[in-house]
Amino acid sequence: MKAVLFDLDGVITDTAHYHYKAWRWLGEEIGVVVDEAFNEELKGISRTESLEKILEKGNLTTKYTQAEKNELATKKNDVYQKMIEEMTPNDLLPGIQELLLDLKEKQLKIGLASASQNGPFILAKLNIADLFDTIVDPTTLKAGKPAPDIFIQGAKQLAVDPTDCVGVEDAIAGVTAICAANMAAIGVGDAVQLKEATKVVPRTDWLTYPLLEQAWQDYRNEG
């Protein structure tokens, strides 16, 4: 194992409720109900794809031009960014700070593979930006999760082979993307939903260097 690529929301910090509140606000603006159940479908995918799902739910796909859709996505992001302005290192999920420091001490490379365009801003707010060797810009990719592009690009930016990487995700789309990139996948959350992962843990404080290393070994042995 030479590198670890992390998702952001639900793995490093929990901004999912901010996304939900911002999408719900936008839904009210355009007359589409975005409830918690529907919000589950928006986890792990890009802002553009989330907006398309919302418009499809309201039968509004053809109502807006691409420029208007871009404007709607920007409005949502503006609301979201105001909400996350108050984030601090206290918003790191349990065990993540310790894990990142341990990985750095063992000289593993660390990358962020998040669909969020706010990744750099949030890492800075959490005071952990200096622990990351690279951040993939999701706007440069041809396809978002569950396509493997973001994880393949992350490995490329870290100059390591994908098979020498471990990916950590909390969403089904993310785990699928890791597997498609030929990496060992660790899921955080429900073991049934994330069954495609090499290993699943219920909470972030279960994530440790030995656990990641073992998952990578198991993945290589299965391959």
Side-chain angles (χ1 to χ4, degrees):
M1 183 173 67
K2 296 178 181 176
V4 182
L5 288 160
F6 289 91
D7 178 40
L8 180 63
D9 295 332
V11 173
I12 292 173
T13 188
D14 184 10
T15 60
H17 60 293
Y18 295 126
H19 280 296
Y20 168 51
K21 287 168 71 175
W23 282 126
R24 187 177 63 188
W25 172 85
L26 184 69
E28 290 172 356
E29 289 286 300
I30 61 176
V32 180
V33 175
V34 178
D35 56 20
E36 290 189 34
F38 179 73
N39 186 62
E40 289 298 311
E41 297 182 32
L42 309 182
K43 290 184 177 179
I45 62 175
S46 71
R47 190 187 311 160
T48 302
E49 291 169 308
S50 294
L51 176 60
E52 288 294 344
K53 278 184 171 288
I54 291 169
L55 294 178
E56 185 179 338
K57 183 176 189 286
N59 295 316
L60 300 172
T61 304
T62 58
K63 179 179 178 179
Y64 299 98
T65 65
Q66 189 56 53
E68 289 170 332
K69 289 179 182 179
N70 293 343
E71 187 177 335
L72 289 174
T74 299
K75 280 186 178 180
K76 178 268 177 183
N77 193 54
D78 289 344
V79 171
Y80 170 74
Q81 284 189 323
K82 287 178 183 176
M83 292 177 182
I84 61 175
E85 275 286 347
E86 305 304 317
M87 291 185 77
T88 72
N90 291 330
D91 290 303
L92 275 167
L93 287 174
I96 292 300
Q97 177 98 31
E98 295 81 359
L99 175 61
L100 292 172
L101 291 172
D102 200 14
L103 293 174
K104 293 303 285 186
E105 185 180 324
K106 291 177 170 59
Q107 298 186 326
L108 271 77
K109 295 181 177 180
I110 300 174
L112 186 72
S114 170
S116 173
Q117 295 175 41
N118 296 295
F121 174 80
I122 292 172
L123 293 188
K125 283 285 183 181
L126 297 172
N127 200 28
I128 55 171
D130 60 332
L131 298 177
F132 282 76
D133 298 293
T134 198
I135 298 173
V136 181
D137 180 356
T139 65
T140 65
L141 306 172
K142 289 184 178 178
K145 303 169 187 177
D149 302 36
I150 195 165
F151 288 99
I152 292 172
Q153 181 61 30
K156 184 178 179 181
Q157 289 177 202
L158 292 172
V160 295
D161 191 278
T163 58
D164 291 329
C165 298
V166 170
V168 186
E169 270 277 3
D170 73 315
I172 298 171
V175 168
T176 300
I178 296 169
C179 294
N182 293 318
M183 296 180 183
I186 294 182
V188 180
D190 185 88
V192 175
Q193 286 189 338
L194 304 176
K195 60 187 177 183
E196 195 178 356
T198 307
K199 190 163 188 64
V200 180
V201 296
R203 304 188 309 270
T204 54
D205 56 359
W206 284 46
L207 295 169
T208 61
Y209 171 78
L211 183 139
L212 269 63
E213 173 72 24
Q214 187 59 57
W216 179 75
Q217 293 282 2
D218 291 347
Y219 170 76
R220 292 300 293 263
N221 291 335
E222 288 172 7

